Amino acid sequence: MKKIQERDIKRKRRHKRVRAKVKGTAMRPRLSVFRSNANVFLQLVDDVSGKTLASAHTSVKKGKEKQALGVRAGKAGEELAKKAHEKKIMNVVFDRGGYRYHGIVRAVAEGARKGGLKF
């Protein structure tokens, strides 16, 4: 239990350092990533006004086939990019949330880039 708590505390410290440098605006919002054990949640956030402009997640609805989280994360990134284009947002700042840039987080970034977002 102690090891899990330490890992979470370290991630929050890393996230705090990243957030000190990364700010989102209405023209270039912050693409925020939160990773749980089962899902990934994405948001486009305007830090100036404190509002979420668009969001996407990997939660599986009943009746759908099960896929690996990395595959679902990539699709969620593409879905978020589609929502961003509807709101005429092309450029974003990527906030990895203190997570290492590999695996799930990398799949999200590649999916968003595939969908047309630039960062």
Side-chain angles (χ1 to χ4, degrees):
M1 184 71 175
K2 187 175 180 183
K3 193 173 192 178
I4 294 170
Q5 289 173 337
E6 287 177 6
R7 184 174 36 198
D8 193 41
I9 289 169
K10 286 180 181 179
R11 184 192 74 81
K12 287 180 181 177
R13 280 188 198 149
R14 284 191 305 270
H15 191 205
K16 198 173 178 181
R17 277 197 309 266
V18 170
R19 286 295 310 281
K21 299 172 187 172
V22 175
K23 300 284 185 223
T25 62
M27 295 305 295
R28 191 169 182 201
R30 176 172 53 92
L31 194 163
S32 174
V33 177
F34 175 74
R35 208 181 80 192
S36 72
N37 285 338
N39 294 300
V40 175
F41 301 90
L42 311 173
Q43 291 182 325
L44 287 179
V45 181
D46 175 7
D47 289 319
V48 175
S49 65
K51 295 192 177 185
T52 299
L53 306 174
S55 64
H57 57 86
T58 60
S59 298
V60 178
K61 295 178 182 172
K62 290 183 180 178
K64 291 213 174 185
E65 295 179 20
K66 287 191 174 184
Q67 293 178 326
L69 185 56
V71 174
R72 290 186 289 147
K75 289 181 181 177
E78 288 181 39
E79 181 184 335
L80 186 70
K82 191 182 297 182
K83 289 180 182 180
H85 280 293
E86 291 172 3
K87 296 190 178 208
K88 296 183 169 81
I89 298 170
M90 304 298 172
N91 295 316
V92 297
V93 179
F94 190 70
D95 174 13
R96 58 190 172 83
Y99 303 108
R100 289 186 287 174
Y101 185 83
H102 73 95
I104 307 299
V105 177
R106 184 176 178 185
V108 167
E110 289 174 354
R113 285 188 185 112
K114 188 176 176 184
L117 289 180
K118 294 177 184 156
F119 53 93

